[in-house]
Amino acid sequence: MTATGEQSAHRVLVVDDEPNIVDVISMALKYQGFEVASAATGAEALAQVREFRPHLMLLDVMLPDMEGFDVARRLGAERAKVPIIFLTARDATDDRVRGLTLGGDDYVTKPFSLEELVARVRAILRRSGAAEAESSRLVFEDVELDDDAREVTRDGHFIDLTATEYRLLRYLMLNPRRVLTRAQLLEHVWSYDFGGDARVLETYISYLRKKLDAFGPPLIQTVRGVGYALRLPRGA
């Protein structure tokens, strides 16, 4: 687990048709604790905005099916308010003006420094209000997690969790009611490059359920073939 891996659950969509660029950017963002999805075409990007609901998009100007500017224009037409940082090999002033006029929040010319790119991502998120400081206290139904005290209670009962159980519950509580895949949970709880046996996740889900369910209805629901979601059981 990285030192910063628990500090953010902000979602960033990386749109570029060059796999090596996507991989490098995605790795850098995941290392800083962001949740990352990618798309290689404009059509995929538009679909991912609806499904992934990113807090910010890194958008290449030159895509196989349409320009990034067209993607931004369509998002504007759909009133999808997603902050955009354009990525491009172009550095002409008129391109910069065009991108910013179409709703882009920043414009980064390739090649770029990963450190600078991450800094720009954080700056745009702060400016958009998406990266305001998280409360040290998370609440879902009758479960409370206090980050400062590193304590968890349910219905007023203290629940003693191991460090891994705590990280797992915290990530679920940062994404309430959202179905999280096994890969997402392994990346964010154990580390993005986790390469071990995925059964470790099922084991810790079982441990966490046993401790939480002792004081109320089950909250961690299995979504068959996908992963898990923190939500009340149907009919509860």
Side-chain angles (χ1 to χ4, degrees):
M1 189 69 187
T2 67
T4 55
E6 293 184 20
Q7 294 175 359
S8 175
H10 297 115
R11 298 181 295 278
V12 178
L13 176 60
V14 181
V15 185
D16 200 302
D17 62 334
E18 297 184 50
N20 59 323
I21 291 179
V22 172
D23 289 346
V24 169
I25 293 175
S26 297
M27 184 175 294
L29 290 170
K30 288 178 180 179
Y31 185 82
Q32 294 297 325
F34 292 95
E35 185 173 341
V36 183
S38 63
T41 67
E44 288 178 9
L46 293 168
Q48 283 278 40
V49 168
R50 290 186 287 269
E51 297 172 12
F52 184 60
R53 296 176 293 113
H55 294 104
L56 180 142
M57 175 164 44
L58 296 171
L59 178 60
D60 187 34
V61 170
M62 299 299 293
L63 297 170
D65 56 342
M66 67 181 82
E67 284 192 328
F69 298 139
D70 294 324
V71 175
R73 187 180 295 110
R74 293 192 189 189
L75 289 173
E78 296 176 8
R79 297 187 177 182
K81 296 181 179 180
V82 183
I84 297 172
I85 298 178
F86 284 108
L87 304 177
T88 181
R90 302 173 176 176
D91 59 1
T93 300
D94 57 347
D95 280 334
R96 290 175 181 267
V97 172
R98 184 182 175 195
L100 296 175
T101 301
L102 285 169
D105 295 84
D106 206 344
Y107 199 105
V108 178
T109 303
K110 301 174 184 177
F112 47 78
S113 156
L114 286 172
E115 290 80 3
E116 179 187 357
L117 182 63
V118 171
R120 289 184 183 228
V121 166
R122 293 192 185 282
I124 297 298
L125 288 172
R126 282 195 299 271
R127 192 185 310 164
S128 68
E132 293 176 358
E134 294 175 358
S135 168
S136 64
R137 183 170 168 267
L138 297 174
V139 179
F140 180 78
E141 296 297 332
D142 57 353
V143 178
E144 295 188 19
L145 182 149
D146 186 331
D147 243 357
D148 290 337
R150 304 284 289 187
E151 290 183 353
V152 174
T153 60
R154 183 169 192 189
D155 192 28
H157 300 277
F158 174 75
I159 299 176
D160 187 18
L161 299 180
T162 66
T164 300
E165 291 165 353
Y166 183 90
R167 289 197 302 269
L168 178 56
L169 177 62
R170 186 180 188 279
Y171 188 61
L172 288 166
M173 292 183 71
L174 282 169
N175 296 275
R177 302 179 184 85
R178 184 167 174 232
V179 177
L180 299 170
T181 67
R182 290 174 174 81
Q184 287 174 318
L185 288 163
L186 286 169
E187 285 177 357
H188 286 272
V189 177
W190 278 267
S191 79
Y192 68 88
D193 60 352
F194 182 84
D197 190 337
R199 285 178 297 184
V200 69
L201 174 59
E202 281 72 22
T203 299
Y204 275 93
I205 287 286
S206 175
Y207 293 159
L208 190 54
R209 277 175 169 158
K210 184 175 182 180
K211 293 181 178 181
L212 289 176
D213 295 356
F215 303 106
L219 293 179
I220 303 175
Q221 312 303 324
T222 300
V223 180
R224 192 178 300 276
V226 182
Y228 301 93
L230 186 70
R231 60 192 183 198
L232 285 169
R234 296 188 186 281

